[in-house]
Amino acid sequence: MDAWEELVTSALLGTDRKPLAGSAVSGGDAAPVALLDAAAVHTVRRRAGLRPGPAAAPLEVAPEDGRRPLPERARRRLGQLLAGRAAPAPSGGRRGAAPDLAELLPQWLAAAAEHGYGAPAAALPALLDAARARTDLRPQALAFAGPRGLWLARLNPEWKFALRGAAASGALPDPADPDAVPTLWEEGLFAERVALLSAVRAADPARGRGLLASTWGSERAEDRLMFLDSLRAGLGPADEEFLEAALSDRSRNVRATAAELLSALPASALAARMAERAASCVSLDRTEGAETIVVEAPHECDAGMRHDGVTPTPPTGRGERSWWLGQLVEAAPLDCWAGRFGGRTPEAIVALPVTDDWRVELHAAWCRAAVRQRNADWSRALLGSPSAPQATGPGASSLAERAQLLATLPEEERAAWVASFIAAHGLSEAFQLLGVCAVPWSDPLGRAVVDALDIARDAGSYPWSFSGVMGLAERCLSPAAAPQLTALTALPAEPEDASPGAAAYWSEAFQRLVSTLELRAAMHAELAETD
């Protein structure tokens, strides 16, 4: 047995049961000491006789980051935000009055990117840890970390996620480079090719389409689908020929996407075919002086409809005819309906009665068409008045539909509509609608949200019923609103019918809102110091 193994065996079993071989001391209190002495001597001998391994290759020098360094106060603030993201959550679900630093980090990163700052080297490890923990934070965090962040990520397996997107987020050739672009397109990894196609398409839509066409026949179906989606950027009439050819693709998903893109081009041949089919199903009846929309849904899904992207099999629980009708109407250009209904405006068309309970199906299809075609006039008509009850609105039958329609309107109009909706209905149904409003919220929208929160507090309800809206307010209210909110931080007297302790919770929630807005104002001021 090896001498070292003898020592280990004696140490494990004890010197009384396994005396140390070759030792003059065979037992008693001196035996353990002799064992340790022998182990120490043998350890030195083993280390001295160890043969050195081959030298590791020297580390590659970290690349330079040419962006501006952070101002000192902004650098310290970044350290606070990165340290605060790992703070334990308050016990009992109560958030306290302190700002949530983890939720402020994305805003800080976005603002730092606008100012063109690069990440300080000392912050890179914590920044990569934050990106590893939060996938939603990764694009901003990795962009801010820059080339040195990717260099550092190669040295730690826990940061390998950064390398997966390195090809797509790293240096791409100039979209106009006549040699590098085709080479990367033909030889690059899938992520590199997706990023390259998006970059070329953004700079020159025609060249991007030509790049895609050059290898279209040899691409896998799932890759064709992803590449085809890139045509959404800069989609125009020049893309019609390519998309028409894609309607005959062997992949059903590719055909459906091509049909969707063509239907977003109101002057396309597919849009004209769909308009003709939809018009044959929807007409105006003038019986006995009353004007009513009459719907006759398709009785079959023929080969032409299937070629143009109509899916023949409906989802479970959906009737075939209504399913086909919806697809035809949503793919038809909305401008075709004015001629079909005597030159009426979208508001007048939407207000017409519809026979045989087809109203919900027809209006839902028009909603989808308005979103797909980004038609603000039809979106306004289908949204109706923000003060109208949801169940009696002219078109949109759900908050999700209303949110999608709102996204087609200009920012100021969108914010004004949501402000009026909140004034009429409160905050209980406004969360989805607030999510499509531009940040920071306009003054009228901010006032509407704060007034509704104040009303909810006076009603004696608990603030956690509005925690989602309160969280949005912390991120989206203009920091300039902080002084106006100070009065709401006071602890009011509780009404007799109020929930126990609700006033204290509300005071705490408003304190957190004010302190968060003040912190956001400080963050922006610190980042602007050297501008």
Side-chain angles (χ1 to χ4, degrees):
M1 183 181 290
D2 180 81
W4 180 256
E5 293 181 358
E6 287 276 0
L7 289 171
V8 172
T9 302
S10 295
L12 291 173
L13 298 178
T15 53
D16 290 339
R17 296 177 59 192
K18 181 70 169 85
L20 186 62
S23 173
V25 181
S26 59
D29 295 340
V33 177
L35 172 66
L36 294 176
D37 287 342
V41 172
H42 202 73
T43 298
V44 173
R45 185 183 299 120
R46 284 165 59 92
R47 289 177 177 173
L50 182 67
R51 294 182 180 181
L59 286 177
E60 177 187 353
V61 177
E64 292 295 327
D65 190 339
R67 294 173 296 178
R68 295 188 300 156
L70 279 172
E72 179 59 24
R73 290 205 305 159
R75 186 188 62 78
R76 291 199 301 269
R77 180 72 67 191
L78 173 61
Q80 293 172 357
L81 296 176
L82 290 172
R85 73 168 186 85
S91 59
R94 190 164 181 171
R95 291 180 56 193
D100 187 343
L101 299 183
E103 291 302 319
L104 289 175
L105 182 57
Q107 291 197 18
W108 189 96
L109 290 171
E114 291 176 1
H115 288 278
Y117 292 122
L124 290 176
L127 192 63
L128 289 170
D129 280 340
R132 178 170 64 92
R134 288 182 57 179
T135 56
D136 64 306
L137 199 63
R138 288 180 184 178
Q140 290 176 311
L142 294 178
F144 181 61
R148 288 192 169 187
L150 293 179
W151 172 85
L152 187 61
R154 296 188 183 97
L155 307 179
N156 186 343
E158 292 189 346
W159 298 331
K160 62 183 179 181
F161 69 88
L163 306 179
R164 289 195 292 268
S169 60
L172 291 171
D174 187 320
D177 191 318
D179 299 321
V181 167
T183 299
L184 183 59
W185 177 249
E186 293 176 4
E187 302 176 2
L189 301 173
F190 177 68
E192 292 174 319
R193 300 180 72 210
V194 170
L196 177 66
L197 181 58
S198 297
V200 173
R201 178 73 179 174
D204 186 345
R207 188 160 186 247
R209 184 180 61 254
L211 194 67
L212 180 56
S214 67
T215 59
W216 181 257
S218 61
E219 303 288 356
R220 300 183 306 166
E222 54 267 34
D223 294 349
R224 293 199 304 277
L225 181 62
M226 183 70 74
F227 291 144
L228 190 63
D229 202 57
S230 69
L231 297 186
R232 296 182 190 276
L235 182 67
D239 298 317
E240 182 180 359
E241 182 179 356
F242 181 85
L243 293 172
E244 273 284 347
L247 288 175
S248 301
D249 194 272
R250 55 187 180 272
S251 167
R252 179 175 60 85
N253 290 333
V254 171
R255 296 195 301 272
T257 301
E260 179 190 346
L261 293 173
L262 282 168
S263 68
L265 297 172
S268 68
L270 178 137
R273 295 193 296 269
M274 288 299 195
E276 183 178 355
R277 294 181 181 116
S280 68
C281 298
V282 182
S283 59
L284 186 65
D285 180 66
R286 294 184 174 88
T287 303
E288 297 179 358
E291 296 182 314
T292 306
I293 295 177
V294 178
V295 175
E296 180 65 30
H299 290 274
E300 65 172 338
C301 183
D302 58 33
M305 290 166 61
R306 292 195 297 273
H307 175 269
D308 286 346
V310 176
T311 303
T313 305
T316 303
R318 184 80 178 271
E320 283 185 336
R321 297 183 65 199
S322 66
W323 172 244
W324 300 332
L325 174 73
Q327 293 180 80
L328 296 181
V329 172
E330 71 178 271
L334 288 164
D335 292 343
C336 76
W337 297 111
R340 188 65 172 163
F341 294 115
R344 284 178 169 83
T345 63
E347 288 81 1
I349 294 172
V350 169
L352 288 170
V354 183
T355 61
D356 299 329
D357 297 326
W358 282 106
R359 179 181 181 277
V360 171
E361 185 67 48
L362 181 61
H363 283 200
W366 278 336
C367 284
R368 295 192 296 272
V371 172
R372 182 182 297 183
Q373 299 171 34
R374 310 297 297 175
N375 191 307
D377 291 335
W378 272 86
S379 292
R380 292 186 190 97
L382 292 161
L383 280 166
S385 169
S387 60
Q390 181 177 332
T392 60
S397 59
S398 71
L399 289 171
E401 285 178 333
R402 287 186 169 189
Q404 292 175 331
L405 292 170
L406 280 169
T408 69
L409 302 182
E411 289 183 359
E412 291 185 6
E413 183 180 356
R414 193 186 316 165
W417 197 96
V418 177
S420 298
F421 180 91
I422 292 171
H425 305 289
L427 291 169
S428 59
E429 297 180 337
F431 185 81
Q432 284 181 288
L433 306 181
L434 287 168
V436 299
C437 293
V439 177
W441 290 336
S442 67
D443 288 343
L445 178 57
R447 285 195 300 271
V449 171
V450 172
D451 289 345
L453 288 171
D454 193 17
I455 291 171
R457 180 190 63 166
D458 291 342
S461 57
Y462 280 121
W464 50 71
S465 301
F466 304 93
S467 58
V469 174
M470 187 67 80
L472 276 179
E474 292 171 15
R475 298 189 294 274
C476 303
L477 265 178
S478 170
Q484 307 165 17
L485 296 171
T486 304
L488 299 178
T489 62
L491 184 62
E494 289 191 356
E496 292 184 1
D497 57 346
S499 303
Y505 282 99
W506 275 109
S507 175
E508 190 176 84
F510 280 118
Q511 289 174 34
R512 183 175 62 253
L513 176 57
V514 170
S515 60
T516 300
L517 296 180
E518 292 173 344
L519 182 53
R520 284 175 52 206
M523 284 166 33
H524 286 283
E526 292 159 0
L527 288 167
E529 279 184 351
T530 59
D531 282 4

